[in-house]
Coordinates of all heavy atoms in Angstrom, one line a residue:
L66 N 70.4 -85.4 -111.1 CA 70.4 -85.7 -112.5 C 71.5 -86.7 -112.8 O 71.3 -87.5 -113.8 CB 70.8 -84.4 -113.3 CG 69.8 -83.2 -113.1 CD1 70.1 -82.0 -113.9 CD2 68.3 -83.7 -113.4
V67 N 72.6 -86.8 -112.1 CA 73.6 -87.8 -112.2 C 74.0 -88.2 -110.8 O 74.5 -87.4 -110.1 CB 74.8 -87.3 -113.0 CG1 75.9 -88.4 -113.1 CG2 74.5 -86.8 -114.4
G68 N 73.7 -89.5 -110.5 CA 74.1 -90.0 -109.2 C 75.2 -91.0 -109.3 O 75.9 -91.1 -110.4
S71 N 75.8 -94.6 -112.3 CA 76.4 -94.6 -113.6 C 77.9 -94.5 -113.5 O 78.6 -94.4 -114.5 CB 75.8 -93.5 -114.5 OG 76.0 -92.3 -114.0
F72 N 78.5 -94.5 -112.3 CA 79.9 -94.4 -112.2 C 80.4 -93.2 -112.9 O 81.5 -93.2 -113.6 CB 80.7 -95.6 -112.7 CG 80.8 -96.7 -111.6 CD1 79.9 -97.7 -111.5 CD2 81.9 -96.7 -110.8 CE1 80.0 -98.7 -110.6 CE2 82.0 -97.7 -109.8 CZ 81.0 -98.7 -109.7
D73 N 79.7 -92.1 -112.8 CA 80.1 -90.9 -113.6 C 81.2 -90.1 -112.8 O 81.6 -90.5 -111.7 CB 78.8 -90.0 -113.8 CG 78.7 -89.7 -115.3 OD1 79.6 -89.1 -115.9 OD2 77.6 -90.0 -115.8
D74 N 81.6 -89.0 -113.4 CA 82.8 -88.3 -112.9 C 82.4 -87.4 -111.7 O 83.3 -87.2 -110.9 CB 83.4 -87.5 -114.0 CG 83.8 -88.3 -115.2 OD1 84.8 -89.0 -115.0 OD2 83.2 -88.3 -116.2
A75 N 81.2 -87.0 -111.7 CA 80.8 -86.1 -110.7 C 79.3 -86.2 -110.5 O 78.6 -86.7 -111.4 CB 81.1 -84.6 -111.1
G76 N 78.8 -85.8 -109.4 CA 77.3 -85.7 -109.2 C 76.8 -84.5 -109.8 O 77.5 -83.4 -109.8
V77 N 75.6 -84.5 -110.3 CA 74.9 -83.3 -110.8 C 73.6 -83.2 -110.2 O 72.8 -84.1 -110.2 CB 74.8 -83.4 -112.4 CG1 74.2 -82.1 -112.9 CG2 76.1 -83.7 -113.0
Y78 N 73.3 -82.0 -109.6 CA 72.1 -81.8 -108.9 C 71.3 -80.5 -109.4 O 71.9 -79.4 -109.5 CB 72.5 -81.5 -107.4 CG 71.3 -81.5 -106.4 CD1 70.8 -82.7 -105.9 CD2 70.7 -80.3 -106.1 CE1 69.7 -82.6 -105.1 CE2 69.7 -80.2 -105.2 CZ 69.1 -81.4 -104.7 OH 68.1 -81.4 -103.8
A85 N 72.3 -76.4 -112.9 CA 72.5 -77.6 -112.0 C 73.9 -77.4 -111.4 O 74.8 -76.9 -112.1 CB 72.4 -78.9 -112.8
L86 N 74.1 -78.0 -110.2 CA 75.4 -78.0 -109.6 C 76.2 -79.3 -110.1 O 75.6 -80.4 -110.2 CB 75.3 -78.1 -108.1 CG 74.9 -76.9 -107.3 CD1 74.8 -77.2 -105.8 CD2 75.8 -75.7 -107.6
V87 N 77.5 -79.2 -110.3 CA 78.3 -80.3 -110.6 C 79.3 -80.4 -109.4 O 80.0 -79.4 -109.1 CB 79.2 -80.1 -111.9 CG1 80.0 -81.4 -112.2 CG2 78.3 -79.8 -113.0
Q88 N 79.3 -81.5 -108.7 CA 80.2 -81.6 -107.5 C 81.0 -82.9 -107.5 O 80.6 -84.0 -107.9 CB 79.3 -81.6 -106.2 CG 78.5 -80.3 -106.1 CD 77.9 -80.2 -104.8 OE1 76.9 -80.8 -104.5 NE2 78.4 -79.3 -104.0
T89 N 82.3 -82.7 -107.1 CA 83.2 -83.8 -107.1 C 84.3 -83.6 -106.1 O 84.5 -82.4 -105.6 CB 83.9 -83.9 -108.5 OG1 84.7 -85.0 -108.6 CG2 84.7 -82.7 -108.9
L112 N 89.7 -80.8 -110.9 CA 88.9 -79.9 -111.8 C 88.4 -80.7 -113.0 O 87.3 -80.4 -113.5 CB 89.7 -78.7 -112.3 CG 90.0 -77.6 -111.2 CD1 91.3 -76.8 -111.6 CD2 88.8 -76.7 -111.0
S113 N 89.2 -81.7 -113.4 CA 88.8 -82.4 -114.6 C 87.5 -83.1 -114.5 O 86.7 -83.3 -115.5 CB 89.9 -83.5 -114.8 OG 89.6 -84.3 -115.9
D114 N 87.1 -83.5 -113.3 CA 85.8 -84.2 -113.2 C 84.6 -83.3 -113.4 O 83.5 -83.7 -113.9 CB 85.7 -84.9 -111.8 CG 86.3 -86.3 -111.8 OD1 86.4 -86.9 -112.8 OD2 86.9 -86.7 -110.7
V115 N 84.8 -82.0 -113.2 CA 83.7 -81.0 -113.6 C 83.7 -80.9 -115.1 O 82.7 -80.9 -115.7 CB 84.0 -79.7 -112.9 CG1 83.0 -78.6 -113.4 CG2 83.8 -79.9 -111.3
Y116 N 84.9 -80.8 -115.7 CA 85.0 -80.6 -117.2 C 84.4 -81.9 -117.8 O 83.7 -81.8 -118.9 CB 86.4 -80.4 -117.6 CG 87.0 -79.1 -117.2 CD1 88.2 -79.0 -116.6 CD2 86.3 -77.9 -117.5 CE1 88.7 -77.7 -116.3 CE2 86.8 -76.7 -117.2 CZ 88.0 -76.6 -116.6 OH 88.5 -75.4 -116.2
A117 N 84.6 -83.0 -117.2 CA 84.1 -84.3 -117.8 C 82.6 -84.4 -117.8 O 82.0 -85.2 -118.6 CB 84.7 -85.5 -117.1
M118 N 81.9 -83.5 -117.1 CA 80.5 -83.5 -117.1 C 80.0 -82.3 -117.9 O 78.7 -82.1 -118.0 CB 79.9 -83.3 -115.7 CG 80.3 -84.4 -114.7 SD 80.0 -86.0 -115.2 CE 78.2 -86.1 -115.2
G119 N 80.9 -81.6 -118.6 CA 80.5 -80.4 -119.3 C 80.3 -79.1 -118.5 O 79.7 -78.2 -118.9
G120 N 80.8 -79.2 -117.3 CA 80.6 -78.1 -116.3 C 81.6 -77.0 -116.3 O 82.7 -77.2 -117.0
E121 N 81.3 -75.9 -115.6 CA 82.2 -74.8 -115.5 C 82.6 -74.7 -114.1 O 81.7 -74.4 -113.2 CB 81.5 -73.6 -116.1 CG 82.3 -72.3 -116.1 CD 81.3 -71.1 -116.4 OE1 80.2 -71.4 -117.0 OE2 81.6 -70.0 -115.9
G178 N 80.9 -76.9 -109.6 CA 80.8 -76.2 -110.9 C 79.3 -76.1 -111.2 O 78.4 -76.5 -110.5
R179 N 79.1 -75.4 -112.4 CA 77.7 -75.3 -112.8 C 77.6 -75.8 -114.3 O 78.5 -75.8 -115.0 CB 77.2 -73.9 -112.8 CG 77.9 -73.0 -113.8 CD 77.4 -71.5 -113.7 NE 78.5 -70.6 -113.9 CZ 78.6 -69.4 -113.3 NH1 77.7 -69.0 -112.5 NH2 79.7 -68.7 -113.5
V180 N 76.4 -76.3 -114.6 CA 76.1 -76.8 -115.9 C 74.6 -76.6 -116.2 O 73.8 -76.6 -115.3 CB 76.5 -78.3 -116.1 CG1 75.6 -79.2 -115.3 CG2 76.5 -78.7 -117.5
H181 N 74.3 -76.3 -117.5 CA 72.9 -76.3 -117.9 C 72.4 -77.7 -117.9 O 73.0 -78.6 -118.5 CB 72.7 -75.7 -119.3 CG 71.3 -75.4 -119.6 ND1 70.4 -76.4 -119.9 CD2 70.6 -74.2 -119.7 CE1 69.2 -75.9 -120.1 NE2 69.3 -74.5 -120.1
P182 N 71.2 -78.0 -117.3 CA 70.8 -79.4 -117.1 C 70.6 -80.1 -118.5 O 70.7 -81.4 -118.5 CB 69.4 -79.3 -116.5 CG 69.5 -78.0 -115.7 CD 70.3 -77.1 -116.5
D183 N 70.5 -79.4 -119.6 CA 70.3 -80.0 -120.9 C 71.7 -80.2 -121.6 O 71.7 -80.8 -122.7 CB 69.4 -79.2 -121.8 CG 68.0 -79.0 -121.3 OD1 67.6 -79.9 -120.5 OD2 67.4 -78.0 -121.6
R184 N 72.8 -79.8 -121.0 CA 74.1 -79.8 -121.7 C 75.1 -80.7 -121.0 O 76.3 -80.6 -121.2 CB 74.7 -78.4 -121.8 CG 73.7 -77.4 -122.3 CD 74.0 -77.1 -123.8 NE 73.1 -76.2 -124.3 CZ 73.2 -74.8 -124.3 NH1 74.4 -74.3 -123.8 NH2 72.3 -74.0 -124.8
I185 N 74.6 -81.6 -120.1 CA 75.5 -82.5 -119.3 C 76.1 -83.5 -120.3 O 75.5 -84.1 -121.1 CB 74.7 -83.2 -118.3 CG1 74.0 -82.2 -117.3 CG2 75.5 -84.2 -117.5 CD1 73.0 -82.8 -116.3
L186 N 77.4 -83.7 -120.1 CA 78.2 -84.7 -120.8 C 78.2 -86.0 -119.8 O 79.0 -86.1 -118.9 CB 79.6 -84.3 -121.0 CG 79.8 -83.0 -121.9 CD1 81.3 -82.6 -121.9 CD2 79.3 -83.3 -123.3
A187 N 77.2 -86.9 -120.1 CA 77.0 -88.0 -119.1 C 77.6 -89.3 -119.7 O 77.7 -89.5 -120.9 CB 75.5 -88.1 -118.8
N188 N 77.8 -90.2 -118.8 CA 78.3 -91.6 -119.3 C 77.1 -92.3 -120.0 O 77.4 -93.2 -120.8 CB 78.6 -92.4 -118.1 CG 80.0 -92.1 -117.6 OD1 80.7 -91.3 -118.1 ND2 80.5 -92.8 -116.5
T189 N 75.9 -91.8 -119.8 CA 74.7 -92.5 -120.5 C 74.5 -92.0 -121.9 O 73.6 -92.5 -122.6 CB 73.4 -92.2 -119.7 OG1 73.4 -90.8 -119.5 CG2 73.4 -92.9 -118.4
N233 N 91.5 -79.8 -118.7 CA 90.7 -80.3 -119.7 C 89.6 -79.3 -120.2 O 88.6 -79.7 -120.7 CB 90.0 -81.6 -119.3 CG 90.9 -82.8 -119.4 OD1 91.8 -82.9 -120.3 ND2 90.8 -83.8 -118.5
C237 N 86.6 -79.8 -122.9 CA 85.2 -79.6 -122.4 C 84.5 -78.6 -123.2 O 83.3 -78.8 -123.6 CB 85.3 -79.3 -120.9 SG 83.7 -78.7 -120.2
A240 N 83.4 -79.7 -126.5 CA 82.3 -80.7 -126.5 C 81.0 -80.0 -126.2 O 79.9 -80.3 -126.8 CB 82.6 -81.7 -125.4
V241 N 81.0 -79.0 -125.3 CA 79.8 -78.2 -125.0 C 79.3 -77.4 -126.2 O 78.1 -77.4 -126.5 CB 80.0 -77.4 -123.7 CG1 78.8 -76.5 -123.5 CG2 80.2 -78.3 -122.5
L245 N 77.8 -82.0 -127.7 CA 78.0 -83.4 -127.5 C 77.3 -83.9 -126.3 O 76.9 -83.1 -125.4 CB 79.5 -83.8 -127.5 CG 80.3 -83.3 -128.6 CD1 81.7 -83.9 -128.6 CD2 79.7 -83.6 -130.0
R246 N 77.0 -85.2 -126.1 CA 76.2 -85.7 -125.0 C 77.0 -86.5 -124.0 O 76.5 -86.8 -122.9 CB 75.1 -86.6 -125.6 CG 74.3 -86.0 -126.7 CD 73.5 -84.8 -126.3 NE 72.9 -84.9 -125.1 CZ 72.0 -84.0 -124.6 NH1 71.8 -82.9 -125.3 NH2 71.5 -84.2 -123.4
C247 N 78.2 -87.0 -124.4 CA 78.9 -88.0 -123.6 C 80.4 -87.8 -123.5 O 81.0 -87.6 -124.5 CB 78.6 -89.4 -124.2 SG 79.5 -90.7 -123.4
A248 N 80.9 -87.7 -122.3 CA 82.3 -87.7 -122.1 C 82.6 -88.2 -120.7 O 81.8 -88.2 -119.8 CB 82.9 -86.3 -122.2
T249 N 83.9 -88.7 -120.5 CA 84.4 -89.0 -119.2 C 85.8 -88.6 -119.2 O 86.4 -88.4 -120.3 CB 84.2 -90.5 -118.8 OG1 84.5 -90.6 -117.4 CG2 85.1 -91.4 -119.6
D250 N 86.4 -88.4 -118.0 CA 87.9 -88.2 -118.0 C 88.6 -89.5 -117.7 O 88.0 -90.4 -116.9 CB 88.3 -87.0 -117.2 CG 88.0 -87.2 -115.7 OD1 87.1 -88.0 -115.4 OD2 88.7 -86.6 -114.9
L330 N 90.0 -86.2 -121.7 CA 88.7 -86.6 -121.9 C 88.5 -87.7 -122.9 O 89.2 -87.7 -124.0 CB 87.8 -85.5 -122.3 CG 87.6 -84.3 -121.3 CD1 86.5 -83.4 -121.7 CD2 87.4 -84.8 -119.9

Side-chain angles (χ1 to χ4, degrees):
L66 301 182
V67 178
S71 59
F72 274 92
D73 234 303
D74 301 287
V77 183
Y78 189 84
L86 289 179
V87 184
Q88 297 191 288
T89 182
L112 288 157
S113 175
D114 277 329
V115 172
Y116 290 131
M118 302 308 292
E121 182 190 335
R179 68 178 142 215
V180 69
H181 190 291
D183 299 337
R184 309 261 177 89
I185 298 168
L186 301 173
N188 280 0
T189 51
N233 281 327
C237 166
V241 172
L245 306 190
R246 313 295 316 187
C247 174
T249 191
D250 63 337
L330 295 191

